[in-house]
């Protein structure tokens, strides 16, 4: 059976997408501009290219490294100091998350129109959500030696956000990145290079399990939104 023109076009698109990304200094925006200008009907082709790139980004993030026993201890010791002030740290994380990635507020009807960080800080709904986020992370940290428990907790989080809240999984990558920034700043004396390395693995572990839950429920959307 001969391939259709559509199949040939898609194969060409995928090859161009791969080839341009191999060129030194090229970014996603360069690739988008190149593909869009080269092919007829650029907007439709561009959407397809971005979807493929979204899939590739998820795959890269799903390759997590094993956390050693020593690193687990470092994470738990650092977290014990963070969690002693969980609400304020959680609020700081969410405020920076929403300031840096305002599109994330679309999923929160209670404070999606808030622009002022001081208003966010006073929001009881935001503080409640901060406690919920910190509580979930605390459960994961406390059970780092129980991989089944970690997987179960993060699977519940992932499925709830995929099925009930319809949140794109890329936001978990952004949120865990902000979490790492805030903790490193607030607890600079405790955040040694070893601690940073351990927590980098920790945030990847979180995203790995959450993404796996999205795939398990058949999530068909990919992180192509401008965040």
């Amino acid at each position: 059976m001969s391939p259709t023109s559509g199949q040939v076009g898609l194969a060409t698109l995928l090859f161009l997408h791969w080839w341009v990304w191999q060129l030194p200094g090229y970014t996603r925006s360069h690739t988008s501009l190149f593909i869009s200008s080269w092919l007829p009907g650029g907007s439709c082709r561009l959407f397809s290219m971005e979807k493929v790139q979204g899939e590739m980004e998820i795959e890269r993030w799903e390759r997590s490294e094993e956390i050693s026993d020593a690193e687990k201890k470092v994470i738990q010791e650092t977290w014990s100091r963070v969690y002693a002030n969980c609400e304020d740290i959680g609020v700081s994380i969410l405020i920076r998350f929403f300031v840096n990635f305002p599109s994330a507020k679309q999923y929160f009807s209670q404070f999606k129109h808030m622009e002022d960080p001081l208003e966010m800080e006073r929001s009881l709904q935001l503080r409640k959500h901060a406690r919920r986020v910190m509580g979930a992370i605390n459960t994961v940290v406390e059970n780092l030696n129980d991989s089944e428990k970690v997987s179960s907790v993060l699977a519940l989080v992932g499925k709830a956000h995929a099925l009930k809240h319809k949140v794109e999984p890329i936001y978990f990558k952004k949120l865990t990145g902000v979490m790492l920034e805030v903790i490193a700043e607030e607890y600079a004396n405790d955040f040694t290079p070893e601690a940073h390395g351990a927590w980098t693995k920790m945030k990847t572990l979180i995203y790995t399990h959450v993404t796996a839950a999205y795939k398990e429920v058949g999530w068909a959307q990919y992180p192509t939104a401008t965040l």
Side-chain angles (χ1 to χ4, degrees):
M1 181 181 296
S2 300
T4 66
S5 60
Q7 290 172 325
V8 173
L10 179 58
T12 303
L13 171 68
L14 292 174
F15 172 77
L16 286 169
H17 173 265
W18 171 84
W19 177 75
V20 175
W21 265 83
Q22 311 309 308
L23 299 177
Y26 267 73
T27 64
R28 176 176 173 173
S29 60
H30 289 124
T31 313
S32 301
L33 185 60
F34 179 86
I35 299 295
S36 183
S37 62
W38 191 85
L39 290 174
S43 60
C44 294
R45 298 294 195 270
L46 178 58
F47 173 81
S48 298
M49 183 278 295
E50 287 184 339
K51 182 172 181 179
V52 171
Q53 178 59 25
E55 293 178 6
M56 292 172 65
E57 183 171 0
I58 286 179
E59 292 298 329
R60 285 198 300 272
W61 267 84
E62 287 185 344
R63 300 191 187 104
S64 61
E65 298 181 64
E66 183 178 352
I67 303 176
S68 69
D69 290 341
E71 288 170 328
K72 290 175 184 177
K73 184 177 180 181
V74 169
I75 291 170
Q76 290 170 337
E77 289 177 348
T78 309
W79 182 254
S80 66
R81 289 184 276 279
V82 173
Y83 199 63
N85 192 27
C86 69
E87 183 172 321
D88 288 340
I89 295 298
V91 169
S92 295
I93 291 170
L94 287 186
I95 289 175
R96 184 175 301 189
F97 176 57
F98 291 136
V99 169
N100 290 353
F101 309 103
S103 60
K105 290 187 292 183
Q106 66 183 289
Y107 302 107
F108 301 90
S109 59
Q110 306 96 325
F111 42 85
K112 68 179 181 180
H113 300 300
M114 293 182 185
E115 302 291 341
D116 184 0
L118 291 177
E119 185 182 4
M120 294 183 196
E121 187 176 2
R122 292 192 294 265
S123 170
L124 296 179
Q125 292 88 351
L126 189 143
R127 286 188 168 272
K128 180 179 179 181
H129 191 68
R131 290 193 298 270
R132 187 179 298 120
V133 170
M134 296 295 279
I137 296 171
N138 185 61
T139 301
V140 172
V141 172
E142 285 185 340
N143 291 279
L144 279 176
N145 292 312
D146 185 344
S147 59
E148 290 187 5
K149 178 70 172 180
V150 168
S151 179
S152 175
V153 169
L154 292 175
L156 288 174
V157 171
K159 289 175 182 179
H161 284 76
L163 299 175
K164 182 178 180 181
H165 306 299
K166 311 297 183 183
V167 177
E168 290 193 48
I170 190 64
Y171 286 104
F172 281 92
K173 174 183 175 181
K174 302 300 183 182
L175 179 60
T176 52
V178 170
M179 176 187 72
L180 197 62
E181 289 176 8
V182 172
I183 294 176
E185 291 173 12
E186 294 292 332
Y187 299 88
N189 292 335
D190 300 314
F191 222 71
T192 63
E194 291 77 15
H196 188 277
W199 274 97
T200 298
K201 290 184 179 182
M202 174 69 174
K203 73 172 185 177
T204 306
L205 177 144
I206 293 172
Y207 189 67
T208 297
H209 284 285
V210 168
T211 303
Y214 271 76
K215 286 192 170 185
E216 185 179 338
V217 299
W219 180 261
Q221 294 172 258
Y222 293 91
T224 58
T226 301
L227 301 182

